[in-house]
Amino acid sequence: MKDYIQHHEWRIIEPKFDPSVNRISESLFSIGNGKFGQRANFEEDYSGDSLRGSYVAGVYYPDPTRVGWWKNGYPDYFAKVINSTNWIGIRVAVDGENLDLARCQLESFERVLDMQDGVLSRRFIAQLPSGKRIQVEATRFTSIVDTDNGAIRYAVTPLNFEGEIRFTPYLDLDVVNADSNYDEKFWLETARHADPQVAYLCGETKKTGFRLGVAARFNLTLDGESKTPAATVHDRDCFVGQEVAIQAKQGQTATLYKYAALISCLNVAEGQIDAAACDSAAAAQAKGFDRMLAEHTAAWHAKWQQADIRIEGDVAAQQGIRFNIFHMNQTYTGEDARLNIGPKGFTGEKYGGVTYWDTEAYCLPFYLKTADPQVARQLLIYRHNHLENAIKNAEKLGFSDGAALYPMVTINGEECHNEWEITFEEIHRNGAIAFAIYNYLNHTGDADYLADYGLEVLIGISRFWRQRVQWSERRGGYVMLGVTGPNEYSNNVNNNWYTNKIAQWTLAYTAEALAKVEAEAPEKLAALLEKVKFNGKEDELAIWAQIREHILLPVDDQTGVFVQYDGFMDKELKPMSEIPAAEYPIHQHWSWDRILRSCYIKQADVLQGVYLFEEEFDLDTIRRNYDFYEPMTVHESSLSPCIHAILAAKLGYEDRAYKFYLRTSRLDLDDYNNDTEDGLHITSMAGTWMAVVEGFGGARVHDGVLSLRPFIPDQWRSYAFKITFKGALLNVVVNQEDVQIENQSDTAIELQLFDRSCRVEPRATLVHPVEAPALGQAS
Ligand code: BGC
């Protein structure tokens, strides 16, 4: 664990420069706007250790994945979002001496990410090898208003001399990925232009042929006064820029403003990219840094108005939760249904920026309650757009008749994962997508979505479950063999309770959804059933009903818990507390074989199902399963602690809920897992939010009704979270005595508070004493 980030409610502050943690800081201070993102690399040259990363959403490269032990059915490639044009570069020279922090003495250094405003800044005083001292202030943002633009203000002040400050703002397409094979480069230059005003580079990715045009313009000032010195143009392969020099007296500030525009072929027809990028950079320059910044900042404030969580009495916790909310919002904005959320977002190369079940299981609940419903809807449309590929994916594995298996990992709907026990067997991901549809409907009641998109996806997934189970004469029920549940530390198991349960639930929900659309939009249903060649009540629906009724969901006689999978109870069941501390994490210390033979659970598995289907179980059942499985869970996925926090809170295990919450809230800020340098755990950040709102706040939506049952950890004076629900915006404030629900909208809302119905009128506040948890029996 590292502890070098200063605690502050709204800012992430690195108070001094330590090159040994530079890659971690580059991840932490990343900025993005849903369309593109940028690690916190320095603008000026830096010869020290750094992982450069500029990522453009949806622009990827298919890395070949041929492995020695090839299995038919494996995908041909692993898609990864790649490092692209460096648009932030500004070379700085002082009287001919290049500025490079690895070669300077730093008198002071501060890097700040202002999460309220969405702005990254850096301020330092450096002494160059010649003894010249300069102060630098660099500020940049990726605009969430002008979403094709990034802007930089880079100010240099000589402190002990008068001399020449030379700036070279540039664009560089000669970039690599750290994880590329044999230093392979992914880009080919297709167009280049440089003149004293504008620099432009267009690149095309090899194999996938994605075009990205990047244009940049600049302005120069001295103590605020505009200067236009003659520029030397740089124009060579994959590199364009302009070099300008200005004389500055001691104490005078030379400031370079750089405006970049990034336009990809995802948004503009190929032949128009060059013009669009150059026009967009010109428009940004015309608007000016201050106006762009003011608009960007105002838009961030509006986002916070809908999504903030406030914690009083614990600055570290406050900073942690805001950091998570900030990154969720800059990773995905819901404007483009072709985009999704990679586990590392735009902050690193690991996981390749591709989509996992994390999106539906963790991220969607976050956007559902904190953003316009359109944002979550776009995530669902993404999967609808991939339905055809999911059907092909299932066909490739031997399924038929419209059965859909969504990929474990994807960018465009094609499977990109190639470990057979996950690619072919971790099929519960299909269930997460079905559940997300239900979740969205439950929150929004968007009947059009169900009829136009959701039902078709549900039918494809249900058809898959139908073919994936088989009747076992011996066991007198439907079994599902050879699967991997969410617990990836047990592979190729039979009857994983969670997978069987979510399959059963999907079959039931699809039947319900069919009936609903039949009642509300019969013509749409008729057209859909025709399109998918639905075989009707006698065939598909009847078989689904049989499977629902007879699928195996074994309960252990002795303990009364749901059996994680056949044979689990025969393992040597020991709590994780028996693992010596030096052997954590077990995936780094134990052989895979030893892990598979052990009882240890990577992340919520049975408990993932208990969490999702909580309404079906009484508190005793939830407690029995929690008390049984949690002690064997090693939480070696960052997606694990949040589910346990929520269940612990429900059971009245308040200390444990808080302990689990702490494990995720500052996971990256304090680099708990020693891997923040690779990028941030973006999808688990949504889980941290869930731990507060669903865990401490007890927020649930059942049958379209919002309910709350908050408690407050002893360590906090008060906390407050926002919920957007059915047109109302609620600010829920919880302190040690009472709960205040402030309706900040013009829409009245009926809800359940501590199991009692109440109504909160527009602009009114309801106050209610905090009540004890429903059950507080820790075992
Ligand atoms: C987890 C998966 C998750 C993936 C990406 C793995 O470690 O076990 O559940 O989908 O990471 O976050």
Side-chain angles (χ1 to χ4, degrees), residues 220-233:
L220 193 61
T221 64
L222 185 66
D223 275 352
E225 208 178 292
S226 174
K227 298 282 167 194
T228 49
T232 309
V233 171

Side-chain angles (χ1 to χ4, degrees), residues 343 351 356-358 408 426 486 488 602-603 636-637 639 683:
Y351 291 108
Y356 285 68
W357 73 303
D358 306 27
M408 184 67 195
E426 204 175 329
E488 293 175 345
K602 183 182 182 188
Q603 66 201 90
E636 289 184 8
S637 159
L639 300 175
T683 50

